Amino acid sequence: MELNLLTICYLIASVTFILGLKMLSNPVSARRGNLVAAFGMTVAIFATIFLYEDNGEKLHNYVWIFAGLIIGTIAGTLAAKKVKMTAMPEMVSLFNGMGGACAALISAAEFYHIYELHKDSPATAFAELATVGHYITIVAGAIIGTISYTGSIIAWGKLNGRIKDYSFNGQHIVNMFVLVLVIVAAVWAYQSTLGNILIPFMLIGFFALIYGVLFVMPIGGADMPVVISLLNSFTGVAAACGGFLYDNKAMLTGGILVGAAGTLLTILMCKAMNRSLTNVLIGSFGGGNKTTAVEGAAGPQGNYKEISLADAAMVMAYANRVMIVPGYGLAVAQAQHTCHELEKILEEKGVEVQYAIHPVAGRMPGHMNVLLAEADVSYDKLLEMETANDVFKTTDVVLILGANDVVNPAAKNDAQSPIYGMPILEVEQAKTVIVNKRSMKPGYAGIENDLFFQPKTSMLFGDAKKVLQDLCTEIKAV
C-alpha cells in the first residue's frame, strides 16, 4: 500500500510540474504556476522521506535530512527576498549551478555505493557489477552536472563583473582535448578493478570541472542569456540521470521538463539573435574589438545631440503614441515602478503607451518581462519584437531606457560588426528617438551604437529612475 501511495505522490508531483511549466508561459499565471510546481516538489520530497523503502528498510537519518531542508529553506528564502532585480540573473545562474552540483553528487554517491558494496573483492572490474546503460547514466550525470556547476559559477561571476571574458588562440582545441580526457577517464574507470577505480573516477570530475570553466570563459557578454539557458538544460539532463538511477519518477519528469524547456529556450534565443548555437559557443560574441566614443566630442560616427528634460516632456506629452524600450539600465536603476507611473501620466493625457521587448534584452531570458511584471505593467502593453517593429512606423516617440545592443542598427548595416544579422528593435523608424543612458559608453557587448549619432536621435543622460521622476513632474506641468 505504501509503495502504491508513493507512486501516486510521484504522479501528482509530475502532473504539477507539467501544469506549473505550462502556467509559466503566461505572465498572468506565472506566479501561480510557480506555486503549483513548488507544491508538487514538496509532495515528492516528503513522500520520499516517509514512504520510500529499500528492501523493506525505510529512511532513518531524519536529523540530517531535516537539518538540510531547514538550512536550505532559510537560506533560499532570505536570498530570494533580498536579491535585487538587477541581480536576478546572477541568482538564477547560481541556483542552477547548485542544481548541477547536486545531480553530480547523486551520480558520485551511486558510484561510491556500488564500490562500497563490493570493495572486499578489489580484483573485480566495475564492468562486472554494472550494466553499460547503468554506468553511462552514472557518468553522464556526473559529467553534465559538473560542467553545469562550474559553467554556472563562471557565468555568475561574469554577470556580476567579478570575472572577465578570457580566451586564447587554440582555446577550442584545448576544450575538445579536455573533453576527450573526460571520456578516456570514463572508459578507464569502467574497465578498472575496484582496487584502482577511484582515481579514474576522480579524474572524470576533475577534467569536467576544468571543461566547465573553459567552456564559459570565452563567451562574450551579449551571449550570456543563451549560455544561462543552455546550462539550465544541462542541469535538467543531469537531474534526469539521477531519476533513472534511483527509479524516481518525479525526479525523472522534472529533469526531462527542465532539460527540454532549457533546450527549446536556447534554440529560441539563438533564433532571436539570428545565430547558430555553434556560433554562440565558438564565436566569443561580445569579446571582440570595443570602441568607445568620447563624451562631448565627435565619436567615430560623428556628433550626438542632447535633449533637455523640458523638451523631452513636451515631445512626449503631445505625442499620439509613445513606445518605451526597457533595458538593463532600467533594472540597474530599479526604475520599473517609476516607468509605470510615467506610463499612467501619459495615458491620462491621451497618449497611447506600449513597451517593445527584445527577446535577449537584459541579462537572462525574459528579464524585462519579469522586471515590468514586478511593477504591475499590463502584459497586453508588452509587444514582442516582430510586432513592435511594425508599430514603430506609426510611433511618435520612442523612449529607450538603458537598452543598447538590441537597438543597434549595426546589426543590419555593418557586415563587419559582431552583431551583424541579429534581429533588433528597429526604433529608428519612429519619428523621434530619445535615449536615456548614464554616458556614451558601449553596451554589454562592448560595441558602439550608430543609433546615438542619427539625426532623429537625442540623448537624455542621467540615472533612469531620476530622469523618469523628473519627466513625470515635467509632463504633469505641461
Side-chain angles (χ1 to χ4, degrees):
M1 181 63 185
E2 288 182 341
L3 180 60
N4 292 334
L5 184 58
L6 179 61
T7 302
I8 291 172
C9 289
Y10 284 162
L11 179 61
I12 292 172
S14 299
V15 171
T16 58
F17 293 163
I18 296 171
L19 290 175
L21 184 61
K22 174 62 177 177
M23 294 167 76
L24 287 174
S25 64
N26 189 321
V28 176
S29 60
R31 188 188 298 270
R32 189 166 64 255
N34 202 21
L35 293 175
V36 168
F39 168 76
M41 179 58 74
T42 303
V43 170
I45 290 173
F46 284 97
T48 302
I49 293 174
F50 294 112
L51 300 177
Y52 177 79
E53 288 187 8
D54 185 15
N55 295 322
E57 183 179 351
K58 290 188 175 183
L59 298 178
H60 55 274
N61 48 347
Y62 292 124
V63 174
W64 286 103
I65 292 173
F66 281 97
L69 286 174
I70 292 170
I71 293 172
T73 300
I74 294 174
T77 302
L78 292 177
K81 284 186 173 295
K82 290 185 176 181
V83 66
K84 297 179 180 179
M85 187 54 65
T86 51
M88 191 62 73
E90 292 101 287
M91 171 163 279
V92 170
S93 188
L94 187 62
F95 280 1
N96 183 66
M98 296 302 102
C102 289
L105 289 174
I106 287 173
S107 292
E110 179 67 10
F111 183 92
Y112 190 71
H113 175 67
I114 296 175
Y115 170 80
E116 278 290 306
L117 287 176
H118 304 280
K119 66 180 180 181
D120 293 333
S121 304
T124 303
F126 194 85
E128 298 176 30
L129 305 174
T131 64
V132 174
H134 189 199
Y135 180 73
I136 289 176
T137 304
I138 292 174
V139 171
I143 294 173
I144 298 172
T146 301
I147 292 174
S148 177
Y149 167 67
T150 52
S152 296
I153 296 301
I154 296 299
W156 168 79
K158 295 177 82 169
L159 286 168
N160 62 28
R162 288 183 171 89
I163 299 176
K164 304 298 182 183
D165 298 343
Y166 177 75
S167 60
F168 53 86
N169 292 332
Q171 180 165 3
H172 303 301
I173 297 176
V174 173
N175 288 3
M176 292 302 299
F177 178 70
V178 173
L179 192 58
V180 169
L181 290 178
V182 173
I183 297 173
V184 170
V187 174
W188 178 19
Y190 187 61
Q191 297 297 329
S192 295
T193 58
L194 292 182
N196 304 310
I197 199 171
L198 293 182
I199 291 178
F201 191 77
M202 286 189 289
L203 286 176
I204 294 173
F206 175 72
F207 289 130
L209 282 169
I210 294 177
Y211 182 80
V213 174
L214 295 176
F215 168 65
V216 179
M217 281 298 292
I219 297 176
D223 277 336
M224 290 314 296
V226 180
V227 175
I228 291 173
S229 180
L230 181 62
L231 291 172
N232 183 255
S233 69
F234 283 3
T235 297
V237 173
C241 289
F244 274 117
L245 291 176
Y246 290 143
D247 193 25
N248 188 309
K249 280 76 174 178
M251 183 184 293
L252 179 60
T253 304
I256 291 173
L257 288 173
V258 172
T263 301
L264 290 173
L265 185 57
T266 301
I267 294 171
L268 290 174
M269 290 289 106
C270 290
K271 183 180 179 181
M273 300 169 68
N274 195 30
R275 307 179 71 218
S276 67
L277 182 58
T278 302
N279 189 238
V280 170
L281 300 181
I282 296 178
S284 299
F285 179 45
N289 296 330
K290 299 182 180 183
T291 59
T292 306
V294 180
E295 275 189 73
Q301 294 84 353
N303 292 304
Y304 61 85
K305 63 180 180 181
E306 292 189 52
I307 188 172
S308 66
L309 275 166
D311 289 343
M314 186 70 68
V315 170
M316 295 174 68
Y318 287 101
N320 291 318
R321 173 180 287 155
V322 171
M323 186 80 77
I324 298 175
V325 179
Y328 189 65
L330 181 68
V332 170
Q334 299 182 52
Q336 59 270 29
H337 295 282
T338 313
C339 185
H340 186 37
E341 182 183 351
L342 174 66
E343 170 203 327
K344 290 187 289 186
I345 292 172
L346 286 172
E347 288 182 336
E348 288 174 0
K349 291 186 173 293
V351 180
E352 181 183 358
V353 182
Q354 293 174 304
Y355 297 80
I357 309 296
H358 193 282
V360 295
R363 297 292 190 267
M364 70 176 183
H367 194 181
M368 294 300 105
N369 300 73
V370 174
L371 187 75
L372 295 173
E374 186 187 42
D376 295 324
V377 173
S378 173
Y379 182 66
D380 296 335
K381 295 182 180 295
L382 308 186
L383 303 184
E384 295 183 0
M385 179 175 61
E386 292 81 4
T387 305
N389 284 340
D390 290 334
V391 177
F392 282 133
K393 301 170 185 176
T394 57
T395 299
D396 297 300
V397 181
V398 171
L399 176 62
I400 300 173
L401 299 170
N404 196 324
D405 306 311
V406 297
V407 296
N408 194 337
K412 299 187 302 177
N413 307 326
D414 185 1
Q416 303 303 315
S417 174
I419 64 172
Y420 182 71
M422 182 182 89
I424 60 169
L425 292 168
E426 299 172 358
V427 296
E428 69 275 10
Q429 296 186 55
K431 295 178 182 178
T432 303
V433 179
I434 300 175
V435 181
N436 169 236
K437 282 174 58 71
R438 289 177 178 272
S439 68
M440 289 297 291
K441 291 182 179 179
Y444 195 43
I447 303 166
E448 189 56 85
N449 194 336
D450 298 339
L451 175 71
F452 303 158
F453 306 93
Q454 292 186 0
K456 64 171 65 176
T457 302
S458 300
M459 307 301 297
L460 185 59
F461 294 112
D463 175 79
K465 188 171 186 178
K466 179 66 167 60
V467 167
L468 288 173
Q469 288 173 341
D470 292 342
L471 276 176
C472 289
T473 303
E474 291 284 348
I475 292 173
K476 285 179 181 178
V478 174

